[in-house]
Amino acid sequence: VKQIPYQEQLISLQNKPEWYKVLVPTTLVPAVLFHHDQRQPQDDNDEPAKPQRQIIWESMEVLKALDAQFPNHGPTLVPLDDPAFDAAVEQADQL
């Protein structure tokens, strides 16, 4: 829907690889790893700046993060200020 370029990495849900367990402490899926173009300077040393990374898991949190990171790419994935949507999410969380 947002037409954002991405790289997909499929994993076994029954036998998650060790690298995934390290990357996602809860081992929940889905998870999205954002690579930010903005580089923050290192402390006063000669090492090059490292790109910033952020891992997000849980479906709703992934949708919110995609909306926040790419506000001008397609429609909003999570409606804002929608009482009916908020009620449905709360009810789903209780299941």
Side-chain angles (χ1 to χ4, degrees):
V1 169
K2 285 193 169 277
Q3 300 188 12
I4 303 165
Y6 63 94
Q7 293 179 347
E8 180 179 50
Q9 178 70 46
L10 301 176
I11 63 168
S12 168
L13 297 178
Q14 291 79 27
N15 188 21
K16 294 177 180 139
E18 199 59 39
W19 64 263
Y20 190 82
K21 294 176 186 177
V22 170
L23 189 64
V24 182
T26 62
T27 70
L28 295 174
V29 294
V32 174
L33 178 61
F34 291 99
H35 296 267
H36 300 285
D37 290 337
Q38 300 170 345
R39 295 176 181 254
Q40 296 182 356
Q42 298 292 314
D43 295 331
D44 295 330
N45 59 28
D46 292 333
E47 294 181 33
K50 296 180 181 176
Q52 298 298 302
R53 300 181 344 154
Q54 179 185 23
I55 184 79
I56 305 289
W57 58 90
E58 301 260 2
S59 298
M60 186 60 65
E61 298 306 315
V62 167
L63 294 175
K64 290 177 182 177
L66 289 169
D67 280 342
Q69 294 288 328
F70 303 97
N72 300 322
H73 286 79
T76 301
L77 301 173
V78 179
L80 300 175
D81 301 322
D82 183 341
F85 180 81
D86 294 340
V89 169
E90 186 171 327
Q91 187 175 13
D93 286 345
Q94 294 176 3
L95 295 177

